[in-house]
């Protein structure tokens, strides 16, 4: 018996998401050269909608030394609002 595995290639969005989940950040120029991403703002917007829907990740930005915006993913600690210490 064989187990079926997906041979579908990873999408550019998935590659960028995986990269950001390692703790590294990306600027538009870096995403273009590394992942051949033509519209990084739209890709980041889509990633942001996806990860923030679950409430445990946030897309954050910082200004790089060259003045470009660098995007990161940050884990968010979830707190039970019904918990009283």
């Amino acid at each position: 018996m064989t187990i079926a595995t997906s041979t579908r290639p990873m999408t550019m969005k998935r590659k960028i998401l995986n990269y950001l989940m390692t703790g590294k950040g990306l600027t538009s120029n870096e995403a273009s050269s590394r992942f051949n991403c033509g519209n990084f703002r739209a890709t980041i917007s889509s990633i942001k909608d996806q990860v923030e829907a679950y409430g445990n990740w946030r897309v954050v930005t910082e200004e790089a030394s060259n003045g470009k915006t660098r995007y990161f993913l940050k884990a968010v600690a979830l707190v039970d609002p019904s918990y009283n210490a």
Side-chain angles (χ1 to χ4, degrees):
M1 183 165 111
T2 61
I3 298 174
T5 59
S6 175
T7 57
R8 202 169 42 171
M10 241 193 301
T11 65
M12 176 188 52
K13 176 182 164 185
R14 185 74 225 181
K15 288 177 186 177
I16 291 173
L17 179 57
N18 287 350
Y19 183 84
L20 293 173
M21 290 183 84
T22 66
K24 300 173 189 168
L26 278 175
T27 65
S28 178
N29 290 344
E30 292 166 344
S32 177
S33 64
R34 185 178 293 263
F35 300 106
N36 198 27
C37 180
N39 192 345
F40 187 55
R41 258 178 93 184
T43 303
I44 282 293
S45 179
S46 178
I47 288 172
K48 182 176 179 176
D49 290 345
Q50 181 179 346
V51 299
E52 292 186 358
Y54 296 101
N56 53 348
W57 290 93
R58 291 284 180 260
V59 174
V60 295
T61 62
E62 72 176 30
E63 188 174 328
S65 59
N66 60 3
K68 301 285 183 180
T69 301
R70 183 177 302 279
Y71 295 86
F72 294 88
L73 279 183
K74 296 286 182 178
V76 176
L78 299 178
V79 178
D80 182 356
S82 64
Y83 177 76
N84 293 318

